[in-house]
Amino acid sequence: METAALLVVLVIALALFFDFTNGFHDTANAMATPIATGALKPKVAVLLAAVLNLAGAFLSTEVAKTISGGIINEDQISSTIFPAVIFAGLIGAITWNMLTWLLGLPSSSSHALFGGLIGATIVGVGASAVNFSVVVSKVVLPAVIAPLTAGIIAFTATKLAYVITRRYDNKPDGRDGFRWGQIFTSSLVALAHGTNDAQKTMGIITLLLITVGWQTSTEPQTWVIFACAITIALGTYMGGWRIIRTLGKGLTEVKPAQGFSAEASTASTILSSSALGFALSTTQVASGSVIGSGLGRRGSKVRWRTVGRIMIGWLLTLPASGAVGALAALVVVWLGGWGILIDAILAVLIIVGLFLRSRRDEVNAANAMSEVADSGMAVKVKRNPPPTRRARRREQQQRDKEASK
């Protein structure tokens, strides 16, 4: 009994460490664009994000219920094996999170968690223990629809922003007011991130407690909510500067109007999904919004090579984390308690190794945005830009007048 209880405590500790990595991995979702445009100083931005992540974690538990009572058929799993399965799944998720953080790729922490858990469950218990209909409806479909929807909303909002403020074209800092708006919209994204991503670790811990018989309801206990909220807030405050750099200036040069539109789109998409219990990827939504805002500003350029790298990361997240989770579960199946110990040692070695590798070319608050975009001209106009539709209409009207004389 004492060994079983010790394993449960170990799994809870590992789940909270995943929550911590989720925080610093996804800070960029809320704060990359306001840092890039100069709306917020880097350290102020991550502090604000941490506080709002903490608050957001208390606003909803719908996503936690989806994980604790939907994706895995816990009634088909023995309480003696399931803590080890969750342990193996978390190793898969954490390994992928650390690797993509090192590479500066804004991959999905959520899909890493789901992939690791599914892979470990299939190996440790069997495919029948995974509720694939829920996986498709509440994980896979939102992964396809949410970033596309966010991109379209951001594209439309950016177009409208520039049309409404067209009189400020070619005027220094003409649209600087959007920077103030960005403080509000980026705060909303951070709050929304807490309502979605913090819930996933709550769901995992709740699922564990249900399986071992320490809890019957799918509603997270109060101490679980507090622990997950505080942990993700601490991770957020650490700042995932590598990923902030990729989202802030790696996809497109972000101007204040674009940042405002992208963040508004991201926040609205995440909050709607959280209310419906969809465990979507906030990273994919934020990336889709940034790309949409880049396409929506005339004269801006989206770096499609970087977009391609990110999309490859998206596609690999579920199977890669699932493969690591499956391998970790296989070690447990083969070696039992010794397998858990071996998995734990290997996980520590991988985490420490990736962290030490990151110190060779450290990215921090001082250099993540060393080329922060100055507002400069409100629109970055080319030397010989093509005429707008309005300009073409005026030219046509002028020609018609001259022809009628």
Side-chain angles (χ1 to χ4, degrees):
M1 180 63 183
E2 289 182 4
T3 303
L6 183 62
L7 178 57
V8 171
V9 172
L10 180 63
V11 174
I12 290 173
L14 194 63
L16 290 175
F17 182 74
F18 167 78
D19 202 29
F20 180 81
T21 67
N22 192 350
F24 73 71
H25 197 279
D26 291 0
T27 308
N29 297 343
M31 293 303 168
T33 50
I35 292 172
T37 62
L40 289 169
K41 297 294 184 183
K43 290 187 176 180
V44 173
V46 296
L47 176 59
L48 180 62
V51 171
L52 291 168
N53 262 203
L54 179 66
F58 292 94
L59 295 182
S60 169
T61 57
E62 291 303 316
V63 175
K65 292 176 188 175
T66 295
I67 294 171
S68 63
I71 289 177
I72 303 298
N73 298 319
E74 62 271 9
D75 56 333
Q76 299 181 19
I77 304 173
S78 167
S79 60
T80 57
I81 186 64
F82 198 47
V85 169
I86 296 179
F87 180 79
L90 287 168
I91 288 176
I94 291 169
T95 301
W96 185 253
N97 260 6
M98 293 293 292
L99 178 61
T100 50
W101 163 74
L102 177 65
L103 297 174
L105 284 178
S107 68
S108 169
S109 297
S110 308
H111 289 181
L113 177 60
F114 298 142
L117 188 60
I118 291 168
T121 301
I122 291 173
V123 170
V125 183
S128 62
V130 179
N131 192 337
F132 286 103
S133 62
V134 174
V135 172
V136 171
S137 64
K138 291 206 169 185
V139 177
V140 176
L141 286 181
V144 176
I145 296 170
L148 181 61
T149 303
I152 293 171
I153 294 172
F155 173 85
T156 305
T158 303
K159 283 286 187 187
L160 286 173
Y162 277 95
V163 167
I164 293 169
T165 59
R166 191 180 295 279
R167 65 183 181 277
Y168 292 114
D169 285 3
N170 298 324
K171 294 180 181 179
D173 297 324
R175 294 185 175 94
D176 205 37
F178 279 109
R179 290 186 178 181
W180 293 101
Q182 275 191 277
I183 297 174
F184 170 75
T185 52
S186 60
S187 298
L188 199 58
V189 173
L191 190 71
H193 182 261
T195 68
N196 200 280
D197 277 48
Q199 310 300 318
K200 291 156 191 170
T201 307
M202 294 181 201
I204 287 295
I205 295 176
T206 301
L207 180 61
L208 171 69
L209 296 177
I210 290 171
T211 305
V212 298
W214 292 6
Q215 181 175 332
T216 55
S217 169
T218 57
E219 185 78 33
Q221 296 182 38
T222 303
W223 72 266
V224 174
I225 296 173
F226 271 93
C228 293
I230 293 169
T231 305
I232 199 170
L234 288 172
T236 301
Y237 183 68
M238 294 297 292
W241 299 108
R242 292 172 180 274
I243 301 172
I244 286 175
R245 180 172 61 182
T246 299
L247 272 185
K249 67 178 184 179
L251 289 174
T252 183
E253 295 300 326
V254 181
K255 296 292 184 180
Q258 287 175 267
F260 176 85
S261 302
E263 291 144 16
S265 170
T266 301
S268 59
T269 304
I270 296 172
L271 287 171
S272 300
S273 299
S274 295
L276 295 171
F278 291 143
L280 53 68
S281 164
T282 55
T283 301
Q284 291 180 357
V285 173
S287 300
S289 296
V290 172
I291 293 168
S293 70
L295 293 173
R297 193 192 95 201
R298 179 173 170 264
S300 69
K301 188 179 293 185
V302 175
R303 298 181 178 92
W304 292 109
R305 181 175 294 181
T306 303
V307 173
R309 285 178 59 227
I310 291 172
M311 292 188 72
I312 290 171
W314 291 357
L315 292 173
L316 290 177
T317 296
L318 270 172
S321 56
V324 177
L327 283 173
L330 194 61
V331 173
V332 174
V333 170
W334 283 347
L335 302 175
W338 285 105
I340 294 173
L341 180 61
I342 291 169
D343 277 347
I345 294 171
L346 288 175
V348 170
L349 290 175
I350 290 170
I351 291 166
V352 172
L354 290 173
F355 176 75
L356 292 176
R357 173 62 184 82
S358 73
R359 307 303 290 179
R360 295 184 190 175
D361 54 340
E362 185 179 2
V363 180
N364 52 42
N367 62 13
M369 289 292 172
S370 55
E371 299 171 8
V372 172
D374 290 326
S375 163
M377 306 299 278
V379 181
K380 187 179 181 181
V381 181
K382 299 176 182 177
R383 289 188 177 181
N384 296 300
T388 62
R389 279 178 291 183
R390 180 180 293 182
R392 288 197 295 269
R393 284 199 302 269
R394 284 201 298 263
E395 290 172 3
Q396 185 61 47
Q397 290 168 359
Q398 186 65 31
R399 285 195 294 268
D400 292 342
K401 284 182 181 179
E402 291 175 356
S404 63
K405 289 181 181 179

